[in-house]
Amino acid sequence: MPSSDCLFCRIISGEIPATKVYEDDTLVAFNDISPQAPMHALIVPREHVATLNDLGEKHDAIVGAMIRRAAAIASERGYAVSGYRTVFNCNADAGQAVFHIHLHVLGGRKMGWPPG
Ligand code: AMP
Ligand code: ZN
């Protein structure tokens, strides 16, 4: 269920503005408000799912579509060959701040490893 308390549900509904870069029946992608690289988009399912721990088998197709959309956005921006980073943060130790799952897709600079 969409949650009026959830920032990303409110972006999906259009109640809060964001620069959307893609949308379809199941996914929305928009630019991160605090970009950590020249490309930094977030890909979210329209369905409110709080964390990766809340995913079930019924979500497998949506998560697959999120990952393929990250690759498509990176490719459109010219980063398919040079490379890009995709990240799902889950809960406190990973620094998850918004509890509606989102796939970060970052590119346009050399990424460090291990991540901070
Ligand atoms: P995480 O730490 O994985 O939960 O990432 C949350 C991300 O949401 C951060 O990279 C924030 O910069 C981003 N963010 C927070 N508020 C907004 C907003 N209003 N529009 C777009 N991105 C946002
Ligand atoms: Zn939500």
Side-chain angles (χ1 to χ4, degrees), residues 1-10 12 45-50 98-101:
M1 289 288 282
S3 167
S4 57
D5 296 335
C6 171
L7 174 63
F8 288 171
C9 283
R10 295 171 79 187
I12 291 162
R46 288 189 185 275
E47 179 183 342
H48 179 86
V49 178
V98 179
F99 287 84
H100 178 135
I101 60 167

Side-chain angles (χ1 to χ4, degrees), residues 7-8 10-20 30-33:
L7 174 63
F8 288 171
R10 295 171 79 187
I11 286 175
I12 291 162
S13 73
E15 185 188 337
I16 291 178
T19 304
K20 291 179 180 166
F30 50 90
N31 287 333
D32 197 291
I33 202 167

Side-chain angles (χ1 to χ4, degrees), residues 2 6 12-13 15 20 25-26 29 31 33 35 37 43 52-53 56-57 61 64 75 83-84 87 92 97 106 109-110:
C6 171
I12 291 162
S13 73
E15 185 188 337
K20 291 179 180 166
D25 289 349
T26 54
N31 287 333
I33 202 167
I43 301 159
L52 291 191
N53 298 332
E57 193 175 347
S75 183
Y84 55 94
V87 177
L106 303 112
R109 67 169 172 81
K110 181 93 175 142

